[in-house]
Each structure stands twice: as C-alpha cells, then as structure tokens.
Amino acid sequence: MKISQMKKSLLLLIPAVLVIYFGLRLYHDPIDTYTWTELLINYAAGFIRRGLIGRVAYLISPYLSAKFFLSALIVGCYLLQIYLFQYLTQGVNGFEWLLFVFSPTAFLFPIYNFEAYGRKDVFLIVIFLLSFLMILKNMRLSWLFPLVLALYQIGILIHEYTIFYFPFVIVLMLVTYRESQESIYRWILPLSALFLLGNLALLFGLSRRYYNLDLIPASWEGLIPEHNLTPQSGAFGWMGVPLREGLQPVFNKLTYPQTFFSYVIGFVLSLIPMTLLDMRYQLSSRVMNMYKKEPLWRFVFMCLILSSGLIFLFSSDWGRLIYLYGFNIFPGMAVLKQRLNVSVDEPESFISGNAYDQVVGWAFLLLFAGTWFVKFYVDGGHIALQQGLLFRLLEWIAI
C-alpha cells in the first residue's frame, strides 16, 4: 500500500486530536493522582531521582501555574512526537506505517490507558526521536555522539528507564556510521559503556544513600502548599527502594502464567508492524550481510539489543515498556532504511486495488488495531491483554 505524505498528515490528525483532548482531561484531573504526584517531584528538598521535569516546573511556578505549564508541555511533546515520527518515516509509505500508527501499543497506548497519559514516557520518546533525527540527517559523528549522550543524560534525570533504551541508538549509530570504524573503536564504544555503567552506579549509589521518602512530599511544598500530599498518594520510593520490595511485583508477573503470557502475546502483537517492515525491506538481513565477515560485530549488536530487555526484570509496568520498545524499533528501522538507501517496488494500494485486496487490507487493519490493547499495569494473577475498540463500540451499541 502506498500512502502519500498528505494522507499521512491527515491520518496523524486522529492521534493529534486525541492527545489534545486527553491533555485537557489531564489538566482537570485531581492533583493527588499518581501521574501528577510523580510529575511534580522536584529538587526543592534535595536531589530526587526523576525530579528534573518537576524542577523546571518549580522554577517557572512563580510566573505560571505548574499544572498548566506541565499540561501544555505534555501536549506539546505528544504533538512533537507525531511530527517527528512523520518526518522520520517519510521513506516508509507502505501498509506497515498505517499498522504502527493505529497500533494499540503506539500512539493510542496512552489513550487506551489514561493512567499512562502524561507519564514521563512522553519526554523520553521525544528524546529517542530527536536522536534518530540527527542520525537520519547524517550529522557529523563528533557532534552527534556528544549530543546523543547529553539528550539521554537528560532522559535519565527524567526517568531512569532511559538507560535501558540507550543500546538502540548506539546500534543504529554503529551501523549507519560504519565508515567511521576507527572512531567507533577508539572512543564511541568505550564511552558508551562508561556512560551506561556510570549512570547505573550513580543511580544505585544515590538510591542507597538517599532512601528517604520524606524528601518527596517536602519537594512538593513549594509547588502545591495547599495540598497535604504524602508519598503514598502517588509516586513514592523513587529515591530507591529495598531490592526485595522493588522486585516483588516483577516476580508476581513471572509466577502467574496468565499475567506473564498475556504480556508476551501483547508484545508479539505489537511487533507485527516492525516484522512486516523488515520483511518488505530485508533490513535485518542487509545488516547481517554487511557484517558477514565480522561476526564479532554481529555478536556485539545482539548483546546490546538483548541487554535492553533487562528492564523487564527491574520494572513491573510492562505495558509501558512495550510502548517504549515500539517507539525505538519502528522509527529506528525507518531511519535505517533511509540511511542504507533501501528501495523496493511498492505494492499497489489496497484502497485503489481490486476488491479482494481491499477487503483483506481493511479487515487486517481493523482486526489488528481494533480488537485488543495491552494494560499499562496489572498485578500478578490478572490478564494484561484486553478487548479493544471494536468491543467497546459493541458495548456502547448495547447500552
């Protein structure tokens, strides 16, 4: 299916309108919800992990309501995501693009899961996409790498999940700048390893040293003095929690088959657009052929990508992890396709094709995008895979 840039823009208006609407809903949401209490954590009472966005709001609060500023910032970042995604995927005009846009684990994920709307993932995805944009533009490596490190360091101060997605941009950089192997060997790989290990050590050390939940409500006082919030009202423990307590929700998911496998199925479903994109352009095969005589590099790439999966052992919000994976893999593949100058004959649009193609195309899109979605978070023993938009419409019709 060929999709023109004009059609892409019109289709992206759908998630754009939805994120604006839900941004208004977030603004009117009570301040003691989990999303707001996490957003408002700041450094007023001392350094607190995940406090950077709250710190910016704290500095602006004498001039502008922190709640209004953050709501507007979040909506702006969602819209920026949509714009950057369209730009990065301008070389992908097939049916896979449409599947990703309307995937329940892509732009529609925070719509299906309002508790995920406005979480700090919105800022992380902007950081991912900006990094991919610089790679697409073939920025000079001596500028690109420091800027990527700076962006991801900002991301780590916003949310430590960023560390685990850093390998994606490194792999993309190594493949697309293959001609600069001397620089890669000499300083990019060692500095990348130092960046990862240094941040992990820093966060672990700070967590052990500053495990003090009292600092979190103390940091809110400068922003929301009229509210008597406590850590239990929302985002508690981001200074670091005892290992056993922190990992218990993950163990619950691993030991309840219905929870574990429902998330696995959701993850597999979310990868369908990426799998079809790879089948069309043979991206993974092309990369493997590029390094056919360099098995060490192939091993390094595999280790880097697999290392990102460790986040599933340290976080229990598996739905949002799937969401973040999608916004690394699909845009990254689109950039790789353009940087490797891959082109194939595009099939005719199922919209303008014969009746059989039209029925198959629309049915596949409808079934893929409309029958399921993945919950942001469920406790062990519950099922994460839920009925999607089609079932909700049927319920509305029944009512």
Side-chain angles (χ1 to χ4, degrees):
M1 173 186 179
K2 293 179 182 177
I3 308 174
S4 68
Q5 295 302 314
M6 179 63 70
K7 287 180 181 177
K8 283 185 173 182
S9 299
L10 291 174
L11 289 168
L12 286 171
L13 282 176
I14 297 172
V17 170
L18 288 172
V19 298
I20 293 172
Y21 168 76
F22 278 86
L24 294 172
R25 179 177 166 184
L26 177 70
Y27 176 68
H28 292 289
D29 228 26
I31 202 80
D32 60 353
T33 60
Y34 197 105
T35 299
W36 276 113
T37 51
E38 185 183 39
L39 281 169
L40 294 171
I41 293 173
N42 61 83
Y43 302 147
F47 180 84
I48 301 177
R49 205 165 70 193
R50 306 185 186 184
L52 182 60
I53 293 298
R55 176 61 176 173
V56 174
Y58 180 84
L59 293 174
I60 291 176
S61 60
Y63 316 102
L64 194 65
S65 158
K67 196 175 184 186
F68 176 82
F69 167 74
L70 288 173
S71 298
L73 179 65
I74 287 165
V75 171
C77 283
Y78 277 123
L79 295 177
L80 181 58
Q81 283 180 21
I82 293 171
Y83 171 77
L84 290 172
F85 176 80
Q86 180 181 18
Y87 190 90
L88 291 171
T89 60
Q90 57 189 326
V92 176
N93 301 312
F95 188 45
E96 308 81 14
W97 183 92
L98 198 60
L99 286 178
F100 182 82
V101 168
F102 292 104
S103 169
T105 55
F107 291 110
L108 299 182
F109 177 76
I111 306 304
Y112 273 115
N113 295 272
F114 182 64
E115 66 270 28
Y117 187 95
R119 291 293 183 91
K120 293 176 178 178
D121 307 337
V122 59
F123 307 111
L124 305 191
I125 291 173
V126 169
I127 288 170
F128 302 154
L129 297 182
L130 286 174
S131 300
F132 295 157
L133 177 64
M134 292 188 290
I135 294 174
L136 177 64
K137 291 292 189 180
N138 199 17
M139 181 180 287
R140 187 176 175 181
L141 198 57
S142 58
W143 284 95
L144 171 66
F145 186 64
L147 286 172
V148 166
L149 288 185
L151 280 173
Y152 276 73
Q153 189 62 64
I154 291 170
I156 290 167
L157 292 173
I158 295 173
H159 200 301
E160 67 276 7
Y161 282 3
T162 313
I163 297 176
F164 294 93
Y165 295 97
F166 182 65
F168 285 102
V169 73
I170 292 300
V171 168
L172 188 60
M173 197 182 305
L174 294 177
V175 173
T176 55
Y177 287 85
R178 188 166 182 254
E179 70 280 0
S180 304
Q181 279 198 356
E182 184 178 349
S183 298
I184 291 169
Y185 279 120
R186 187 184 303 170
W187 56 283
I188 289 184
L189 274 180
L191 284 178
S192 297
L194 186 63
F195 177 82
L196 281 171
L197 296 174
N199 273 289
L200 285 170
L202 178 66
L203 288 171
F204 179 73
L206 288 171
S207 296
R208 286 181 61 85
R209 182 178 179 185
Y210 294 105
Y211 179 57
N212 182 353
L213 297 182
D214 293 335
L215 291 183
I216 294 175
S219 79
W220 289 329
E221 290 177 2
L223 279 172
I224 41 178
E226 69 277 16
H227 291 278
N228 183 27
L229 298 178
T230 67
Q232 287 70 32
S233 302
F236 63 91
W238 301 137
M239 303 287 296
V241 297
L243 190 60
R244 181 177 176 182
E245 180 184 336
L247 296 182
Q248 188 60 48
V250 177
F251 291 144
N252 286 342
K253 285 182 171 55
L254 293 172
T255 53
Y256 284 91
Q258 63 268 49
T259 304
F260 176 78
F261 285 106
S262 62
Y263 268 121
V264 169
I265 293 170
F267 199 6
V268 171
L269 287 172
S270 76
L271 294 176
I272 287 177
M274 297 72 145
T275 303
L276 294 176
L277 188 66
D278 186 60
M279 290 172 66
R280 182 188 301 280
Y281 297 111
Q282 299 294 304
L283 295 172
S284 58
S285 297
R286 291 173 191 273
V287 171
M288 291 299 103
N289 287 333
M290 286 168 56
Y291 293 91
K292 189 174 183 179
K293 297 181 180 179
E294 302 173 78
L296 180 60
W297 275 113
R298 295 167 68 170
F299 178 74
V300 168
F301 294 156
M302 187 173 296
C303 289
L304 283 170
I305 295 300
L306 290 177
S307 70
S308 67
L310 291 172
I311 191 172
F312 285 93
L313 298 177
F314 294 97
S315 172
S316 56
D317 299 339
W318 284 4
R320 70 195 298 195
L321 303 186
I322 295 170
Y323 168 58
L324 290 169
Y325 257 84
F327 274 102
N328 275 276
I329 298 174
F330 194 93
M333 292 176 70
V335 171
L336 183 62
K337 181 260 180 189
Q338 294 181 74
R339 284 295 306 272
L340 296 182
N341 295 315
V342 177
S343 62
V344 298
D345 292 333
E346 300 284 355
E348 290 299 320
S349 167
F350 71 79
I351 296 175
S352 59
N354 59 49
Y356 177 82
D357 290 337
Q358 291 184 40
V359 171
V360 170
W362 285 114
F364 186 66
L365 175 62
L366 193 64
L367 291 172
F368 174 76
T371 56
W372 63 285
F373 78 97
V374 178
K375 291 290 290 182
F376 168 84
Y377 171 87
V378 293
D379 293 319
H382 295 88
I383 297 175
L385 205 60
Q386 302 288 317
Q387 295 176 341
L389 180 62
L390 282 178
F391 290 96
R392 295 190 178 192
L393 288 175
L394 291 173
E395 291 174 358
W396 178 77
I397 291 171
I399 294 171

